[in-house]
Amino acid sequence: MKNIIISFVISLLTCLCGMGINYYWFTRNHWLKFAFRSHGGEITIENGFGLEVVHTYAMSPEEVDAVGMKFSIASFIIWLLVIWLITFIIVTVVSKIFKK
């Protein structure tokens, strides 16, 4: 039980720090620093640490490029669970090694 709580706290702190870095990077450059990107014809979607950024590119001279960011709870939970699982495995292995 102790390993689960330690892993969850580390995972939550990692996700919040990653979200903070991504938000700062977005305010400066309009891109996320740590994200998975999906490219389409006139759109790029970035997902990273609970933030989702959508870049829509103009396809004609009278249109304007648009960038929008929103919080995605599903993305945050997925990142949290993946990092928790990795951290849990590491913490469990390390505790078994040092217990001997």
Side-chain angles (χ1 to χ4, degrees):
M1 184 69 170
K2 183 180 175 184
N3 290 348
I4 293 172
I5 294 171
I6 291 171
S7 300
F8 180 76
V9 170
I10 291 170
S11 176
L12 184 62
L13 291 174
T14 303
C15 283
L16 291 175
C17 287
M19 185 185 293
I21 291 168
N22 274 346
Y23 181 76
Y24 174 75
W25 194 263
F26 177 78
T27 59
R28 308 281 282 174
N29 303 314
H30 298 291
W31 292 95
L32 298 180
K33 178 79 172 168
F34 304 111
F36 288 105
R37 290 172 180 82
S38 302
H39 301 281
E42 71 256 0
I43 192 168
T44 299
I45 300 173
E46 300 177 284
N47 285 303
F49 294 106
L51 296 178
E52 181 177 290
V53 174
V54 177
H55 301 268
T56 307
Y57 302 104
M59 297 303 283
S60 65
E62 53 280 338
E63 293 178 353
V64 179
D65 291 350
V67 178
M69 181 179 66
K70 69 177 183 174
F71 176 73
S72 171
I73 189 72
S75 174
F76 184 78
I77 291 172
I78 290 169
W79 279 92
L80 186 68
L81 290 175
V82 168
I83 294 172
W84 173 82
L85 182 63
I86 293 168
T87 308
F88 179 72
I89 292 170
I90 292 171
V91 167
T92 302
V93 168
V94 167
S95 68
K96 297 250 188 214
I97 290 172
F98 286 114
K99 194 171 186 178
K100 292 181 180 182

